[in-house]
Amino acid sequence: MANTILIGMQWGDEGKGKIIDVLTAQADIVVRSQGGNNAGHTVIYRRVKYVLHLIPSGILRRGKVCVIGNGVVVDPIALLAEIDGLRKLGVKINKNLLISDCAHLVLPYHRMLDEQRELRRGRIGTTKRGIGPAYGDKAARTGLRMSDLMQPIVFSKKLQAKLIENNRILQALGAKPISFREVNESYLAAGENLRPFVANTVVYLHRAIERGKKILFEGAQGTFLDIDHGTYPYVTSSNTTAGGACTGTGVPPHRMDRVVGVMKAYSTRVGEGALPTEDAQLTQMLHSLGREFGATTGRKRRCGWFDAVATRYAGMINGIDELAITNLDGLDHVDPIRVCVRYRLNGKPLDVPPCDASQLANCEPIYEEMRGWNTPTRSARKFSQLPSAARKYVKYISKLTGAQLTMVSVGPARGETIVL
Ligand code: GDP
Ligand code: IMO
Ligand code: MG
């Protein structure tokens, strides 16, 4: 395997963590390039469930190095809690984790501003992890970075200035101001604990490439949550699409060899914003099986039919070479199964999702129906072991998406995977 970018092709939670865990077997380094602890990537290995938020999902495999790139926004307190949690589960974390000194910090006022904004009408339905305000400061060039945290005097000075500004805003919103002393102490203490991991990760990755190491770029969120290409304003605040893997790590485009797209066999979304194929009955059925509850916030995910208009567009934006379809088993007892092949907007057919949120909300899906297979698929380990209707379904949605199918996942565990 050469350098591979892995991208979610829908609205996040496609099963990226599971596929990363499988692909890490062939990689040397796994890198996160964007997002923060809004992500929740689930890996199930030896019956233990691990949910990764900031740490790349490759951490469970021995001998692999995990990198948090410059494009990630890091909440140091949350990161330490994640490291502690993983250590308690027996995961070794020392020289196998690197954090970019250029990564921006998520501070308590980011979380509080996120919470305050979510109280308003027109809310996004965020994870309330402070992601939007942290990226906002980055774009406004007023953010604090890991490199600041590594210099206590510099950090304290910058924090003090930021708190003067942000406490005024918080008070105007009716929230409690933040204590400088508390934040300063807790962040500096966290910084000391994280110091051994902080490095120039750009240089590390380039040297690794020179030595022929294989890198896996772990996308967080999904294509339609991308700040530019997603269903704005109901998006996250980073580039979740393939380009983000370059800007968020400092690895240039011509060093990337392939892009793997992960998509669920149906659609899900958590938070506000249009989900054109949303279906109440399918949602209820999946929830009744204990499926589709958010890995980060525990919120119920909204569910809908497979949307080929969306995934085809995701294929285009990301240059998807290969497809991994997950959660096929979620449709084991659904019959018939619907697939959205086109939208209709104001009586006219549409082959790409419109950029405008209200137009997207008015798009009516045009469906084709396929026969279900009414058989459990979880024990299938070869493509030929899938029922013929299931084979037909995955081939059809891959063809509609326009990329080559290379993996089908039929369960959450590492082994419950069919490699074509
Ligand atoms: P991510 O954010 O893209 O990594 O996805 P999440 O971990 O948030 O959500 C995917 C959910 O589906 C998790 O609960 C996974 O354990 C689970 N999962 C992934 N692939 C499969 C699959 O093929 N079958 C089943 N039953 N569960 C899966
Ligand atoms: P993974 O990596 C699904 C959604 C939130 C909200 C919007 C903005 O696990 O696929 P934010 O907190 O980022 O400002 O929220 O984006 N969202 C996700 N949905 N999976 C995720 O990550 C998500 N990260 C953010 O629900 O709608
Ligand atoms: Mg998730």
Side-chain angles (χ1 to χ4, degrees):
M1 186 187 75
N3 294 337
T4 299
I5 301 176
L6 182 131
I7 292 291
M9 296 180 75
Q10 294 156 321
W11 284 268
D13 302 330
E14 294 88 351
K16 299 176 292 293
K18 164 172 175 170
I19 301 297
I20 286 281
D21 175 61
V22 172
L23 290 177
T24 301
Q26 307 149 45
D28 301 298
I29 301 167
V30 187
V31 194
R32 274 278 303 273
S33 57
Q34 43 72 227
N37 60 332
N38 50 348
H41 296 179
T42 315
V43 178
I44 294 181
Y45 176 56
R46 290 192 172 153
R47 293 169 194 264
V48 181
K49 179 172 164 176
Y50 303 85
V51 182
L52 289 314
H53 299 288
L54 274 160
I55 298 178
S57 306
I59 200 75
L60 303 181
R61 300 239 190 203
R62 280 185 181 269
K64 313 290 174 175
V65 175
C66 286
V67 176
I68 297 176
N70 56 275
V72 176
V73 286
V74 177
D75 180 331
I77 310 282
L79 177 55
L80 275 179
E82 189 171 337
I83 292 173
D84 274 359
L86 287 169
R87 281 180 173 153
K88 280 189 187 128
L89 290 170
V91 180
K92 185 181 75 90
I93 301 180
N94 46 42
K95 287 203 159 50
N96 54 345
L97 179 67
L98 291 176
I99 308 164
S100 167
D101 53 357
C102 291
H104 275 251
L105 301 176
V106 177
L107 284 135
Y109 47 85
H110 294 133
R111 273 197 311 275
M112 288 174 72
L113 288 171
D114 198 355
E115 276 167 22
Q116 289 298 321
R117 287 175 191 166
E118 284 295 296
L119 296 173
R120 290 192 234 152
R121 266 179 54 167
R123 67 197 191 95
I124 307 292
T126 73
T127 59
K128 299 186 187 163
R129 298 297 189 268
I131 305 299
Y135 275 117
D137 272 358
K138 175 179 175 175
R141 295 148 299 172
T142 60
L144 272 69
R145 306 197 287 179
M146 283 309 293
S147 60
D148 295 314
L149 192 60
M150 294 301 104
Q151 307 171 73
I153 295 172
V154 173
F155 175 81
S156 302
K157 218 166 131 187
K158 289 191 178 178
L159 176 68
Q160 203 151 28
K162 287 297 291 179
L163 279 185
I164 291 171
E165 177 192 341
N166 282 287
N167 274 340
R168 279 196 201 127
I169 300 172
L170 286 170
Q171 277 171 304
L173 292 168
K176 259 178 50 184
I178 293 169
S179 143
F180 167 76
R181 204 170 57 86
E182 266 172 42
V183 178
N184 192 50
E185 276 175 16
S186 60
Y187 270 62
L188 287 179
E192 286 317 308
N193 282 317
L194 293 174
R195 190 178 289 281
F197 305 114
V198 179
N200 181 329
T201 54
V202 174
V203 171
Y204 173 79
L205 291 171
H206 277 259
R207 295 215 170 119
I209 292 171
E210 277 164 20
R211 285 184 287 129
K213 300 286 181 198
K214 292 168 190 147
I215 307 178
L216 187 51
F217 297 82
E218 175 173 355
Q221 291 83 49
T223 298
F224 296 100
L225 294 174
D226 183 280
I227 182 83
D228 286 284
H229 302 291
T231 56
Y232 193 90
Y234 302 103
V235 293
T236 191
S237 303
S238 64
N239 282 116
T240 62
T241 46
C246 295
T247 55
T249 60
V251 176
H254 64 287
R255 291 281 174 261
M256 304 296 185
D257 300 297
R258 68 167 178 168
V259 185
V260 175
V262 185
M263 56 191 206
K264 269 186 187 149
Y266 44 90
S267 305
T268 64
R269 174 166 206 169
V270 58
E272 305 299 316
L275 179 65
T277 61
E278 187 166 7
D279 185 276
Q281 234 182 322
L282 185 63
T283 303
Q284 202 188 7
M285 186 281 289
L286 290 164
H287 289 165
S288 73
L289 296 174
R291 303 174 74 120
E292 303 307 343
F293 292 89
T296 295
T297 57
R299 290 178 291 174
K300 282 183 176 174
R301 295 176 184 150
R302 300 150 60 195
C303 306
W305 301 106
F306 185 82
D307 182 343
V309 180
T311 57
R312 192 162 49 227
Y313 196 53
M316 187 189 285
I317 294 167
N318 296 297
I320 301 291
D321 301 303
E322 296 177 21
L323 288 175
I325 296 177
T326 67
N327 287 275
L328 181 66
D329 54 310
L331 297 179
D332 280 352
H333 300 287
V334 181
D335 194 9
I337 298 174
R338 298 173 112 188
V339 178
C340 169
V341 292
R342 201 161 289 140
Y343 297 159
R344 192 184 291 118
L345 180 63
N346 302 325
K348 292 198 186 105
L350 206 59
D351 286 317
V352 291
C355 161
D356 183 77
S358 59
Q359 282 185 11
L360 182 67
N362 287 326
C363 280
E364 198 190 315
I366 300 175
Y367 289 114
E368 276 179 11
E369 275 192 4
M370 297 186 76
R371 290 315 308 262
W373 43 95
N374 301 300
T375 316
T377 52
R378 261 181 98 158
S379 58
R381 293 295 172 269
K382 288 186 189 151
F383 196 65
S384 59
Q385 291 169 343
L386 287 174
S388 91
R391 293 201 301 265
K392 209 166 151 192
Y393 179 71
V394 293
K395 279 188 189 161
Y396 188 53
I397 62 173
S398 305
K399 187 169 164 235
L400 288 173
T401 302
Q404 194 193 347
L405 177 67
T406 56
M407 263 193 269
V408 180
S409 170
V410 291
R414 195 181 277 179
E416 291 170 318
T417 315
I418 298 168
V419 180
L420 278 81

